[in-house]
């Protein structure tokens, strides 16, 4: 699954366009490397997102095309 879509489905970022912009600005990295929005996300990847002064680091646990609000928390775990 594409990185920008995963960020939206997992609800780490609300909108796919915002996720796309964050990737273009270089604020998102996968396994320590700056990632583009089109990069594929796999189970076990570590995603780090920079939100202003705060950094969020998560590990991908599963990948789904869609998820409900309650299920979105099960797609990743905070590190």
């Amino acid at each position: 699954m594409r990185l920008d879509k995963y960020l939206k489905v997992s609800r780490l970022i609300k909108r796919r366009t915002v996720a796309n912009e964050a990737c273009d600005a270089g604020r998102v990295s996968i396994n320590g490397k700056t990632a583009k929005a089109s990069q594929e996300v796999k189970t076990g990847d570590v995603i780090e997102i920079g939100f202003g002064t705060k950094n969020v680091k998560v590990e991908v646990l599963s990948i789904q095309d869609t998820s409900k609000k309650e299920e979105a928390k099960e797609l990743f775990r905070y590190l």
Side-chain angles (χ1 to χ4, degrees):
M1 176 183 285
R2 287 174 54 106
L3 175 59
D4 57 348
K5 185 169 182 183
Y6 179 80
L7 293 173
K8 179 198 172 284
V9 170
S10 65
R11 290 181 167 74
L12 285 166
I13 296 180
K14 280 191 174 184
R15 289 183 209 90
R16 190 166 175 180
T17 53
V18 176
N20 221 318
E21 291 167 4
C23 293
D24 290 343
R27 294 194 313 252
V28 182
S29 63
I30 296 180
N31 299 326
K33 296 179 184 172
T34 304
K36 293 184 178 179
S38 61
Q39 186 167 341
E40 290 294 313
V41 176
K42 300 178 293 297
T43 305
D45 284 347
V46 176
I47 300 174
E48 193 166 350
I49 309 165
F51 292 110
T53 60
K54 187 174 90 171
N55 277 356
V56 175
K57 197 171 189 180
V58 297
E59 180 184 0
V60 178
L61 298 179
S62 68
I63 295 174
Q64 298 176 1
D65 286 335
T66 60
S67 69
K68 294 180 180 162
K69 189 176 183 182
E70 301 81 31
E71 299 169 353
K73 295 180 181 105
E74 298 167 11
L75 297 178
F76 63 90
R77 71 178 168 108
Y78 289 102
L79 298 176

